[in-house]
């Protein structure tokens, strides 16, 4: 007996019975879940009945980042809303302003927070006080933006879980008899979740969030009295955050939250916390990037000099570098001489012998420090060191 193929076709017969109005800055998954609850169905059941067969497969994807013209068309037809209204609920509505991505990209770019990321957060993030003030509780698009780690209005950090059972927030798992703001696992009201206030010493970070939010809304930032497209700044944000995350080695003494950052890094190295340490760290890293763009270009140049960063390190490992970022670094950070002075083989041998006599670690970095050159940029040194290292 042949196996029957699963029906994956779009549902043509039924229109939505109840269509809640999309709310300001609402996520597509939030709107669909509210509609599923109104129809007394879970999200996967609702999608299977009204949108497309095999709804469980769709509900398991990142609906907010899913770009599917047919899906937007069906939602518009069945809800009697305009297609542009449906598209405005998708994270792709910020493409070209917040991020750029390939047409068939399955995963969000770095500017968009993944639904679950063990390194930085547990699940879909939210502000309990915003949910509490809503007449109709819903989840915002801004809570998925990577720079948005705290709520400037209520001055609290966003949270990423239910604080009774520690389960992540997952809209597809909400049962049809529950509200959007009720934990699917323990039935705790998320509006009553523990909130962590932002004290006065952290308020610099709130300025950073407001600055990035304002730039995204306008579509441009004003840096050094010049307008810069928001996409260039947000692409640069991902590169600079990586460079700034140097833990104890970071030298940025004029930055207001430098001690808080180093303390958090020490704690995270000691243990994996179920609390908000990783969220606080991301909050501070965003603030650091904001700091580099203030008093431009002085703060950025000082960061490069104080941390001995070369021109190459501002580009190494990054793809699709924005023209504005490249032009900025080329102008501010001088390109090092890759040839450098002549280095003889005897100099390298002497440096290795010295380190050996001193009982110190012998590697490419330590030998380069003794010789007095860069351990990767000086090609002549790298060639001689590797040759000697093979013969040892």
């Amino acid at each position: 007996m042949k196996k029957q193929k699963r029906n994956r076709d779009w549902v043509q017969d039924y229109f939505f019975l109840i269509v809640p109005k999309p709310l300001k800055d609402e996520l597509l998954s939030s709107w669909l879940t509210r509609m599923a609850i109104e129809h007394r169905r879970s999200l996967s059941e609702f999608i299977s009945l009204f949108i497309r067969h095999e709804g469980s497969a769709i509900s398991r994807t990142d609906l907010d980042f899913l770009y599917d013209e047919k899906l937007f068309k069906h939602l518009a037809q069945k809800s009697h809303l305009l297609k542009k209204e449906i598209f405005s609920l998708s994270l792709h509505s910020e493409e070209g302003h917040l991020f750029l991505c390939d047409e068939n990209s399955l995963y969000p770019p770095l500017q968009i927070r993944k639904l679950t990321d063990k390194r930085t957060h547990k699940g879909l993030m939210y502000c309990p006080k915003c949910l509490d003030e809503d007449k109709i509780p819903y989840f915002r698009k801004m809570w998925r933006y990577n720079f948005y780690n705290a709520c400037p209005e209520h001055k609290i950090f966003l949270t990423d879980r239910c604080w009774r059972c520690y389960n992540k927030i997952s809209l597809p798992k909400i049962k049809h008899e529950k509200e959007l703001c009720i934990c699917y696992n323990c039935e705790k009201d998320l509006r009553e979740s523990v909130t962590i206030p932002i004290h006065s010493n952290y308020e610099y970070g709130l300025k950073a969030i407001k600055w990035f939010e304002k730039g995204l809304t306008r579509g441009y930032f004003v840096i050094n009295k010049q307008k810069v497209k928001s996409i260039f700044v947000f692409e640069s944000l991902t590169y600079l955050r990586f460079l700034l995350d140097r833990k104890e080695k970071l030298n940025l003494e004029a930055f207001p939250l430098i001690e808080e950052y180093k303390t958090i890094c020490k704690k995270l190295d000691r243990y994996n916390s179920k609390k908000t340490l990783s969220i606080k760290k991301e909050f501070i890293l965003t603030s650091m990037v904001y700091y580099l763009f203030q008093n431009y270009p002085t703060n950025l140049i000082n960061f490069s000099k104080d941390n001995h960063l070369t021109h190459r390190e501002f580009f190494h490992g990054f793809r699709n570098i924005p023209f504005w970022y490249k032009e900025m670094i080329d102008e501010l950070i001088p390109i090092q001489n890759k040839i450098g002075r002549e280095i003889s083989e005897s100099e390298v041998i002497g440096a290795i012998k010295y380190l050996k006599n001193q009982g110190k670690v012998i590697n490419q970095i330590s030998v380069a420090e003794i010789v007095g050159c860069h351990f990767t940029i000086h090609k002549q040194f790298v060639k001689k060191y590797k040759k000697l290292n093979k013969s040892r």
Side-chain angles (χ1 to χ4, degrees), residues 300-352:
L300 184 56
I301 293 171
N302 289 342
F303 163 63
S304 172
K305 287 180 179 177
D306 294 343
N307 293 276
H308 308 291
L309 295 174
T310 62
H311 181 276
R312 181 176 180 271
E313 285 171 296
F314 278 91
F315 296 100
H316 185 64
F318 301 138
R319 295 179 181 178
N320 303 321
I321 294 167
F323 173 75
W324 175 78
Y325 177 81
K326 184 180 184 305
E327 194 177 51
M328 173 183 71
I329 299 303
D330 286 347
E331 183 182 339
L332 301 178
I333 315 298
I335 297 175
Q336 284 197 346
N337 183 357
K338 293 186 179 182
I339 299 172
R341 67 177 181 84
E342 287 287 328
I343 291 178
S344 64
E345 194 171 296
S346 59
E347 278 186 274
V348 181
I349 294 170
I352 293 170

Side-chain angles (χ1 to χ4, degrees), residues 116-158:
T116 301
D117 188 338
K118 292 178 181 178
R119 296 168 298 175
T120 57
H121 66 283
K122 190 173 171 67
L124 182 61
M125 295 178 76
Y126 66 98
C127 170
K129 290 191 177 182
C130 284
L131 289 179
D132 189 43
E133 289 180 0
D134 290 338
K135 289 182 180 179
I136 301 171
Y138 69 100
F139 284 77
R140 278 85 160 150
K141 284 197 299 182
M142 70 178 73
W143 294 342
R144 291 288 306 271
Y145 303 158
N146 213 10
F147 71 85
Y148 208 94
N149 311 99
C151 178
E153 184 180 346
H154 298 111
K155 295 185 178 181
I156 60 173
F157 287 101
L158 299 187

Side-chain angles (χ1 to χ4, degrees), residues 126 128-129 131-132 134 137 179 181-182 189-193:
Y126 66 98
K129 290 191 177 182
L131 289 179
D132 189 43
D134 290 338
E179 280 188 89
C181 57
I182 303 297
D189 193 330
L190 300 177
R191 292 171 289 193
E192 298 171 4
S193 291

